[in-house]
Amino acid sequence: MTAPAIRIDDLRVVRGGALVLPGLSCEVAAGSVTGLLGPSGSGKSTLMRAIVGVQKVAGGSVAVLGHPAGSAALRTRVGYMTQAPSVYGDLTVRENLVFFGGVLGQPKETVERVLTDVALHEHGTRVVSSLSGGERARVSLAAALLGEPSLLVLDEPTVGLDPVLRRDLWELFHRLALQSATLLVSSHVMDEADRCDALLLLREGRLLAQATPSELRARTGERDLDAAFLRLVESGA
Amino acid sequence: MSTQVTLAVALRVLRQLRHDPRTIALALGVPCMLMLILQQLFGRSSPVFQQVGTPLLGLFPFVTMFLVTSITMLRERTSGTLERLMTTPLHKVDLLAGYGIAFALLAVVQVILVSALAFGLLGLEVAGPKWLVVALAVANAVLGSTLGLFVSAFAQTEFQAVQFMPAVVFPQILLCGLFVAREEMADWLRVISAFLPLTYAYDALARTADDRLDARFAFDVAVVCASIVLAVALGAATLRRRTE
Ligand SMILES: Nc1ncnc2c1ncn2[C@@H]1O[C@H](COP(=O)(O)OP(=O)(O)OP(=O)(O)O)[C@@H](O)[C@H]1O
Ligand SMILES: [Mg+2]
């Protein structure tokens, strides 16, 4: 077994005076596509922010690729897509990517590659604020792909996309994992859970289960992942 | 710190401006319009126009760049792009310097336009070198930009950011010596004005207009430069990699 890409030990996070993550421990295997699932407000985005090192933490430790989360050594190796598209609405798609690529020291060809990856090649000269919500989200995703990161942390990357695009993106995620990247992907949609190698189920900031989709089915006796998840959430209450 | 990243930031800010021609038109046109009004109001050879014209010319960029930077930076904070940048190798200083370079360039164009109008057509006279007025105006633009960046940390919305302009800039303009000479102010106001960077920016411009480039002028310039450094440090302190 290789070392895990992410190792979290007793992570505690306080936001707005509330204990959002009251002591979370888990691991994400290197080279896997791991799904992070849980109800709205369960702390998925908070956990991801802690992993990429932008979240103030109250205690515990987060190790990413063998370094403390957020350390300088990780900044070229971790790609992060925030839940709300974090790109400049007043720039074109290509100008956005050229900028973020420049910050990461990437050549211009990389921009064209990621544009193709997210199927936005024809929209390179469009101003981002004129794009649809799903298109804008894909620009944000493309920016996260720029540095050929070893770890990709994607906060709901497929929300609002049609089934064809969703399938294409999940194929891309697995292709990247084959090229030895690790992906942590949050989602609300259970049919996406089935596309993950491993799942982390969160509820109110606690880890409800860490399992593969088939283990989850076996444990709950449900065929349907939606039903399995509901059963877990309710039995854990 | 990396020059490549700094230039990437500067180029990006300039591209954002290019997509917003109305802002450019306003930034370049409004100072010219105000200068014209001032000249028409008092008359070409009136002492008021001659006395107030040069300092105002040098203080416009401070106000413009303060506003433009605080709004641009606030957007960066609220749109999540700052959060994304904080996960990249970008250093805080790269961001600050990139902003400074981009808005200083805009200020150069702004000041050259309004100078050409004021010195060329409107008959504004300066005894000292005109290039010095332009240089001081650009330094004021950088000061405004860095201060705007700093105060943007205290605004949650664009409404609040806009209100910081009168709150931070107007008192400085009132107290800098432009309206009432500092010697004639109430003691407590004079004490306050001694701590405001625009007081020194104004004094340097007024001395250039009179060609009194003495030790006091050098001190003024030094204080303006030190204020820029201080504002950069304060601005850097508000850029946190980790937030709540
Ligand atoms: N900026 C903030 N300040 C204070 N509390 C916050 C902040 N952001 C989130 N929270 C709180 O932290 C908790 C976890 O939020 P988080 O965004 O991590 O949830 P999530 O699982 O990502 O939800 P969603 O699926 O809706 O995106 C919620 O109770 C939320 O109200
Ligand atoms: Mg979320």
Side-chain angles (χ1 to χ4, degrees):
Chain A
M1 255 318 267
T2 51
I6 305 172
R7 179 178 274 143
I8 295 171
D9 190 35
D10 196 27
L11 173 66
R12 273 169 298 123
V13 173
V14 177
R15 292 186 93 171
L19 194 57
V20 172
L21 299 180
L24 186 100
S25 302
C26 65
E27 283 183 1
V28 172
S32 70
V33 178
T34 298
L36 178 59
L37 297 139
S40 178
S42 58
K44 303 182 293 294
S45 297
T46 305
L47 178 59
M48 291 185 143
R49 280 169 46 85
I51 290 168
V52 298
V54 296
Q55 175 67 53
K56 257 190 206 150
V57 302
S61 73
V62 182
V64 175
L65 307 170
H67 299 272
S71 52
L74 292 173
R75 288 187 197 136
T76 51
R77 301 182 61 197
V78 175
Y80 173 42
M81 175 192 178
T82 52
Q83 185 166 359
S86 50
V87 284
Y88 301 96
D90 48 359
L91 292 181
T92 67
V93 173
R94 201 171 267 112
E95 285 170 339
N96 263 289
L97 298 176
V98 166
F99 167 63
F100 287 114
V103 169
L104 293 165
Q106 291 290 318
K108 289 237 163 78
E109 300 83 74
T110 320
V111 170
E112 303 308 316
R113 177 177 56 79
V114 297
L115 272 177
T116 314
D117 281 344
V118 300
L120 275 180
H121 221 287
E122 281 129 60
H123 294 311
T125 54
R126 292 266 302 275
V127 173
V128 166
S129 60
S130 75
L131 297 175
S132 76
E135 289 165 344
R136 216 171 300 172
R138 279 183 285 150
V139 182
S140 193
L141 172 61
L145 299 174
L146 275 168
E148 295 189 19
S150 315
L151 172 67
L152 263 168
V153 178
L154 308 176
D155 204 349
E156 307 200 9
T158 57
V159 89
L161 300 183
D162 61 87
V164 178
L165 260 174
R166 286 223 312 260
R167 184 205 56 203
D168 290 351
L169 284 183
W170 278 96
E171 280 171 11
L172 169 69
F173 298 162
H174 282 283
R175 227 167 38 238
L176 293 169
L178 278 179
Q179 294 159 16
S180 85
T182 305
L183 288 93
L184 181 64
V185 183
S186 73
S187 176
H188 275 129
V189 196
M190 278 300 150
D191 72 315
E192 298 200 316
D194 235 351
R195 301 177 187 270
C196 298
D197 306 325
L199 297 174
L200 297 170
L201 298 190
L202 273 190
R203 185 173 163 280
E204 289 174 10
R206 289 170 208 280
L207 193 65
L208 210 55
Q210 173 157 22
T212 64
S214 46
E215 282 170 358
L216 200 63
R217 288 199 178 87
R219 193 183 308 176
T220 55
E222 299 278 357
R223 287 269 320 273
D224 183 41
L225 274 179
D226 246 329
F229 184 63
L230 277 175
R231 175 159 295 213
L232 263 181
V233 168
E234 273 151 17
S235 69
Chain B
M1 197 192 161
S2 133
T3 36
Q4 189 206 336
V5 176
T6 303
L7 290 179
V9 173
L11 204 63
R12 183 210 89 209
V13 174
L14 289 172
R15 285 198 172 121
Q16 285 180 294
L17 281 171
R18 200 183 61 195
H19 283 287
D20 188 0
R22 201 170 300 179
T23 292
I24 299 183
L26 285 166
L28 301 183
V30 169
C32 293
M33 179 187 74
L34 294 177
M35 196 54 88
L36 179 68
I37 292 177
L38 196 71
Q39 190 244 26
Q40 292 294 305
L41 194 61
F42 293 102
R44 189 182 189 92
S45 50
S46 83
V48 179
F49 174 62
Q50 291 300 340
Q51 225 170 38
V52 171
T54 304
L56 269 189
L57 194 157
L59 296 178
F60 282 139
F62 176 86
V63 181
T64 316
M65 302 312 151
F66 178 89
L67 253 183
V68 181
T69 311
S70 60
I71 300 283
T72 316
M73 193 62 208
L74 180 71
R75 283 195 193 147
E76 189 113 65
R77 288 177 202 273
T78 52
S79 70
T81 49
L82 185 66
E83 180 170 318
R84 184 199 284 278
L85 286 174
M86 286 313 185
T87 67
T88 70
L90 171 128
H91 196 283
K92 294 174 196 179
V93 179
D94 297 329
L95 191 68
L96 290 157
Y99 267 77
I101 291 171
F103 289 120
L105 283 175
L106 178 63
V108 168
V109 181
Q110 186 191 46
V111 176
I112 286 180
L113 267 182
V114 67
S115 306
L117 175 76
F119 299 139
L121 287 176
L122 301 181
L124 183 66
E125 276 158 23
V126 278
K130 293 195 173 76
W131 66 263
L132 198 52
V133 177
V134 175
L136 288 171
V138 173
N140 290 343
V142 175
L143 179 62
S145 199
T146 48
L147 272 180
L149 197 139
F150 169 62
V151 303
S152 79
F154 303 96
Q156 265 105 44
T157 65
E158 295 190 8
F159 279 140
Q160 292 176 9
V162 170
Q163 296 304 322
F164 274 120
M165 210 277 279
V168 174
V169 175
F170 282 14
Q172 296 204 58
I173 290 184
L174 287 174
L175 292 175
C176 73
L178 181 65
F179 293 101
V180 177
R182 289 187 62 226
E183 303 79 61
E184 290 158 26
M185 284 177 195
D187 286 342
W188 69 280
L189 289 178
R190 190 170 53 245
V191 170
I192 292 176
S193 75
F195 290 95
L196 303 176
L198 228 53
T199 302
Y200 302 90
Y202 164 78
D203 197 56
L205 285 160
R207 278 168 200 271
T208 309
D210 301 345
D211 202 17
R212 280 182 293 146
L213 304 180
D214 47 11
R216 174 68 205 200
F217 172 84
F219 177 72
D220 286 338
V221 173
V223 172
V224 171
C225 294
S227 305
I228 292 174
V229 173
L230 183 66
V232 167
L234 289 172
T238 66
L239 293 173
R240 293 279 164 77
R241 287 216 188 251
R242 287 181 187 272
T243 54
E244 265 241 355

